[in-house]
């Protein structure tokens, strides 16, 4: 007898996994999403202000209701104040994601409040026309998490139905309840589909970026991406970065290419790339920055002793790498630069490690040198 599996828990589990991916997407693209939402907000807010003023002028001549005119005047005043806030915020080149997100939510509140009002107040005996459409449109307006969109849609629908029930006739309320329920279901489905498409598009974008940033031979980052990631890390630490930069150069690699061919040289580079991944942590930055030159950046530590132990481990591991049935043995020289909290950019740190690697070569190769003051290093 087959075990019965309830659909409900499976759907809930899928939605939780979907939300985790959604949050990761938002977290990794906060600046881009903030700028995108900001651009949409400026355009849609201007358009809405024009529509609101036009609608108020039309209502003034058609409905001829002083009470309704005051309502429109109230919402126009709120919208003008909001537009002034946007103009003030527009002086800043960049706004934080949270600030933009709050402005977008406030705009949605203003729009939906107006639509709820005009859907109920003028004609309590007639069904709502604008609210269901606005509820569906809300799902695709801004880039939010699916959970946030769902909460907003459900919240607006609940508020509308409560007010609608108290002020409208039974027949009008029945129609509005059905239309709102249908719009809510359609809006949630639209929100899910649009969010899923954004996640798939982002996944493809990440894969393409990864392909363009990976060295095909070793599987490590290429030079451009290695420098970019190291620079980003050093800048993010706000003047107090901690890290250790290793520059590794294979000893006499040109002789391997000349004597045993480039295919053997490529095999050596591939094996060394795998060796480095085994020697360093997953969070460390590894890259191939030249023909036979590699870079490793250990993040979150400035302990010189830890750096020396790791360098010894790498030198030992590289010397033990096997290349098929060949008796070939490869060694390497390593230069190390420690960043212990002082403000330093990538170029400065790289120059120190490169100089230290040069001294390691002078000392006979197959060893490591930690950068010190230039005068001490010469001694």
């Amino acid at each position: 007898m087959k075990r019965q599996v309830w659909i409900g828990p499976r759907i809930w589990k899928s939605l939780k996994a979907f939300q985790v991916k959604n949050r990761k997407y938002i977290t990794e693209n906060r600046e881009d999403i903030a700028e995108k939402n900001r651009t949409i907000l400026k355009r849609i807010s201007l358009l809405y202000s024009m529509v609101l003023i036009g609608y108020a002028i039309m209502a003034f001549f058609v409905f001829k209701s002083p009470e309704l005119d005051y309502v429109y005047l109230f919402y126009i005043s709120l919208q003008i104040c909001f537009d002034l806030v946007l103009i003030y915020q527009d002086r800043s080149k960049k706004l934080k994601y949270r600030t933009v997100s709050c402005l977008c939510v406030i705009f949605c509140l203003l729009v939906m409040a107006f639509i709820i009002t005009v859907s109920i107040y003028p004609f309590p005996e007639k069904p709502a026309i604008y609210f269901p459409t606005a509820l569906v449109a809300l799902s695709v307006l801004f880039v939010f998490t699916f959970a946030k969109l769902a909460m907003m849609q459900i919240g607006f629908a609940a508020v509308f139905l409560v007010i609608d029930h108290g002020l409208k006739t039974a027949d009008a309320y029945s129609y509005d309840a059905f239309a709102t329920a249908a719009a809510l279901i359609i809006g949630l489905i639209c929100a899910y589909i649009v969010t899923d498409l954004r996640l798939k598009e982002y996944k493809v974008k990440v894969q393409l970026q990864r392909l363009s940033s990976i060295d095909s031979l070793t599987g490590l980052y290429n030079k451009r991406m290695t420098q970019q990631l190291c620079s980003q890390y050093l800048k993010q630490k706000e003047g107090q970065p901690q890290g250790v930069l290793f520059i590794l150069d294979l000893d006499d690699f040109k002789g391997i290419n000349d004597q045993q061919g480039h295919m053997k040289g490529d095999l050596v580079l591939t094996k060394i790339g795998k060796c480095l991944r085994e020697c360093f942590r997953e969070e460390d930055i590894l890259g191939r920055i030249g023909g036979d030159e590699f870079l490793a950046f250990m993040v979150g530590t400035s302990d010189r002793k830890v750096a020396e132990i790791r360098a010894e481990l790498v030198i030992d591991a590289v010397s033990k790498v096997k290349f098929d049935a060949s008796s070939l043995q490869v060694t390497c020289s390593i230069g190390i630069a420690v960043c212990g909290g002082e403000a330093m950019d990538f170029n400065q740190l790289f120059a120190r490690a490169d100089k230290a690697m040069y001294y390691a070569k002078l000392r006979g190769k197959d060893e490591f040198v930690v950068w010190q003051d230039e005068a001490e290093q010469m001694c």
Side-chain angles (χ1 to χ4, degrees), residues 149-161:
L149 287 170
M151 288 173 62
M152 290 173 64
Q153 288 177 303
I154 293 171
F156 287 134
V159 170
F160 172 72
L161 289 177

Side-chain angles (χ1 to χ4, degrees), residues 260 262-272 274 320-330:
Q260 302 193 37
H262 287 280
M263 290 188 65
K264 178 65 75 174
D266 289 348
L267 176 63
V268 170
L269 294 174
T270 302
K271 293 275 189 177
I272 297 301
K274 181 181 178 182
K320 292 179 180 179
V321 173
K322 302 296 182 183
F323 303 99
D324 298 333
S326 173
S327 59
L328 176 66
Q329 184 180 32
V330 176

